[in-house]
Structure formats: structure tokens, C-alpha cells
Amino acid sequence: SGDELCVVPKPIFIVSDCTGESAARTVRAALNQFELCFKTRAPATLIVFRFVEDEKKAYSVIETAAKEDALVVYTLVNPASLKAVQTAIKLHNVRSVDLWSNLLDEMERHLDAVRSGVPMTHSQRRPVLTEDYFRMIEAVEYTRKMDDGANPGQWRSADLLILGVSRCGKTPLSIFLGQRGYKVANLPLVQGAPLPKELWTMDQTRIVGLTIDPQVLASIRRHRLGMMGSRDMVGGIDYAELAKINSELQYAKTLYAQNPQWPVLDVTLRGVEETAARILKILNDSRGDASPQWVEEMYGKHVRGEGIMPPAVPLRPLRASGFSSEGEVYAGGDQYLVEGLY
């Protein structure tokens, strides 16, 4: 009605002298605690300011935060950048959280060593190519080759097989897990199309089904058709038509019910990271030590100076209107759907 108000989510600025991904993941996890309070999956707008490595840029970001009444969450290891941000925060009385300093202070005391103060992107901090790195590359290549039901003869090597109807999020989820060292295959469920025999001969504990709300799926498909410029193509409207979608989802639901050993996850308005975490918990609960671990896990061999894993490639950001080109808004939940990543 005309009396209803549209409440714009409050901004949270993430400031980093590196990619800002670690801080963004932490903040997104914390925001999950406020979804019920605000009855939304997006209680705040995240704006990531990457590679803040000089004082002028640091002051500019904090000045903008003051004008926008934003909470500033920062992960800075460069002493000059850190001092500039902290000085500007005090000057402009900006609400802030320092994620790194206390942790690094305690680690210095615990390890009896001094931090380098150099961001991970610095040329002197290039990671050494480890076994974990090559395992991740192998997993990404495998996942790419197994997309959309391809090469079922190689599914026996998969850590995971994801099932679901078209556009429910199988491919981005597979890629996300592949970047973390998991060999993932995915199979679209199409009514009338025979299921590969390899589906029944592989380890059934490695199979997960996806489902999604039909209205949300219709929106994703219509958006996808628009991106492809095929709105006027014959059959285009039928592809996104709700009755057909309900029929497809019912077919998938029946298949899942016939195979109760397959866990089924509802991915409606769920971010890729959240769904991936749920899948990994299921794998760990069902397979224990037989389930592969995250590639980024710090193994003992790293202590011997063999390097660490580089971060996974981040999901595509959205530009934040009203902010400088240095700011990027990372989509989450339903925004992933709108951007056509499914």
C-alpha cells in the first residue's frame, strides 16, 4: 500500500589491503544471525574496498563511510594503511571493527615472532606451488569436464554428484567446490530423458539432490532467457512457464523419494557458499574421514616453508551505484540469482 516504507539495508564497508575476501566471509557469516530480526536474507549491504594501500585512499574511504553512516570492518596488515584508517575513524567518529590487530598481537605472543606487515599480494609473499595447489587444479579441471551430465563414465572418481532441474544452481555450486579441491560432477534432471546407468553404479553416498521454489526458478529462467536475447524464440515462454516448472520439480521430487539415501537440499534464495557448507557437512557426517577436506586447510608441511594455498577465485561482484569505482558490492542470496550465475 501507499503507507508502506521501503527500508534500505544499512551499509557495511569492508576495508582491506588485500582482496577483502576473508573479512567479507566473516561479515556474511555474522549477518546470518540477523536474518530473522529483519525478515530478510540481506540485512545489510556489503561494500568491499580492496587494496587500500596508501593513506589518501584510506582517508577517502572512511570519509565516505561517515557520510553513509556505515560500519567499517577492516583487515589491514600494512602499518601505514592501518594507522591512516584508525586515525580517520577517530576523526570522523565512525563505528568500526578491527578483525586483524588483536589476533595478530596474540599470535605474536604465542609464536614468539613478529608479523611481516606485508599484504599477501606483495611480490615477496608469492605462494609456493604445493601439492594442494595441483590437487585443486586437478579438481577444477575435472569439474569443468563433468558439467551438465558430461562424461558419466568418469563419475566413479567424483567426490560429489549434484542432481537438479535446469537452472537450480548446479554449475556455480560445482565450480565453487571444485576451486576448493573437490571433484564434482552434475547432472540435469530432464523429464523423458533416460538417466545414465553410471548414476546407479557409483557410490550413492556421494550423490546430493537440489530443489528450489518454482516461482524463484521461473524468475531465474526468465532472466536467463533475457540475457540470451531469446525472449521471442519459439518455446521460450514455455521454458519459464510455471506449470512446466512444477512438473519438472515434481519429477525430481519423485526421483529423490525413490532414493532416500540421497540428501536433498532446498537452495531457494541460498548463496553458493551456504549451500556448499551444508553439502560438506552432509558428506562429513555420512563419510567421516573418508570425506575430502578443504584444500585451504593448513597442513603441518606448511610449517616447513612449503607455502600456503592462494585464495579461491571470488564470485563475480556487482558494482555499487553511488560509490566510487573502488567499491564493489558482493551479491548474496537472491542477488546471485538475479545476476544469472545459475
Side-chain angles (χ1 to χ4, degrees):
S1 67
D3 295 330
E4 291 180 346
L5 296 177
C6 178
V7 180
V8 178
K10 287 187 175 182
I12 297 178
F13 283 17
I14 295 173
V15 184
S16 173
D17 46 18
C18 194
T19 64
E21 276 298 288
S22 59
R25 284 194 294 268
T26 300
V27 172
R28 281 196 290 264
L31 283 173
N32 288 337
Q33 299 296 315
F34 299 91
E35 290 176 3
L36 294 179
C37 298
F38 291 92
K39 297 181 180 180
T40 176
R41 295 195 57 78
T45 301
L46 303 189
I47 296 126
V48 178
F49 293 87
R50 300 172 164 185
F51 308 114
V52 178
E53 298 178 318
D54 61 78
E55 296 181 19
K56 183 178 179 181
K57 186 174 182 180
Y59 278 113
S60 175
V61 170
I62 302 306
E63 286 176 351
T64 303
K67 294 176 183 178
E68 300 292 337
D69 190 26
L71 169 67
V72 173
V73 179
Y74 55 98
T75 52
L76 300 165
V77 297
N78 180 283
S81 300
L82 178 62
K83 182 177 181 181
V85 164
Q86 291 176 334
T87 301
I89 283 172
K90 290 182 180 179
L91 178 64
H92 294 283
N93 195 28
V94 174
R95 189 177 291 110
S96 65
V97 177
D98 182 352
L99 289 182
W100 273 124
S101 293
N102 289 339
L103 174 61
L104 291 172
D105 289 345
E106 290 301 324
M107 290 181 74
E108 282 188 341
R109 285 188 281 270
H110 180 68
L111 300 174
D112 193 22
V114 179
R115 74 193 81 173
S116 67
V118 179
M120 285 298 298
T121 53
H122 195 277
S123 59
Q124 295 179 355
R125 298 291 301 278
R126 289 176 182 168
V128 177
L129 299 183
T130 66
E131 292 178 10
D132 289 338
Y133 174 79
F134 290 108
R135 184 157 63 93
M136 184 268 287
I137 295 298
E138 180 183 358
V140 169
E141 182 64 12
Y142 176 91
T143 300
R144 183 186 67 81
K145 291 180 179 179
M146 301 300 119
D147 188 36
D148 206 27
N151 303 306
Q154 300 180 40
W155 287 356
R156 284 183 176 273
S157 301
D159 295 313
L160 178 69
L161 172 63
I162 300 174
L163 308 178
V165 300
S166 175
R167 299 296 158 197
C168 71
K170 300 181 299 298
T171 295
L173 184 57
S174 298
I175 294 172
F176 183 89
L177 289 167
Q179 290 175 337
R180 283 147 181 83
Y182 294 88
K183 294 181 178 179
V184 184
N186 69 77
L187 174 67
L189 300 179
V190 181
Q191 283 180 294
L195 296 169
K197 64 180 185 300
E198 289 83 359
L199 176 63
W200 312 111
T201 58
M202 70 176 293
D203 184 349
Q204 299 295 289
T205 66
R206 303 186 183 203
I207 300 175
V208 172
L210 303 183
T211 188
I212 190 171
D213 179 81
Q215 293 282 359
V216 173
L217 182 57
S219 298
I220 295 169
R221 289 184 174 180
R222 291 189 186 110
H223 181 73
R224 177 66 173 176
L225 288 171
M227 292 177 64
M228 296 171 63
S230 59
R231 286 187 180 277
D232 298 327
M233 290 179 62
V234 176
I237 295 177
D238 182 63
Y239 178 73
E241 199 266 329
L242 200 56
K244 181 175 183 293
I245 288 175
N246 277 318
S247 178
E248 292 179 42
L249 290 172
Q250 183 58 47
Y251 166 70
K253 183 178 179 181
T254 301
L255 179 64
Y256 298 154
Q258 293 170 349
N259 296 273
Q261 71 274 26
W262 300 344
V264 179
L265 300 180
D266 187 340
V267 297
T268 304
L269 301 184
R270 300 282 181 178
V272 173
E273 289 182 341
E274 181 179 352
T275 302
R278 293 162 68 198
I279 287 177
L280 294 180
K281 185 178 187 304
I282 290 171
L283 288 178
N284 187 71
D285 290 346
S286 64
R287 301 179 61 201
D289 293 338
S291 179
Q293 303 299 312
W294 289 96
V295 167
E296 290 106 329
E297 184 178 352
M298 299 293 289
Y299 294 96
K301 63 186 177 183
H302 293 150
V303 177
R304 298 195 296 269
E306 296 185 26
I308 64 172
M309 272 294 301
V313 179
L315 294 168
R316 180 157 59 96
L318 304 175
R319 284 293 176 189
S321 58
F323 295 94
S324 69
S325 60
E326 296 166 350
E328 293 178 340
V329 179
Y330 278 78
D334 56 333
Q335 288 177 297
Y336 284 129
L337 310 184
V338 173
E339 278 300 287
L341 291 180
Y342 281 44

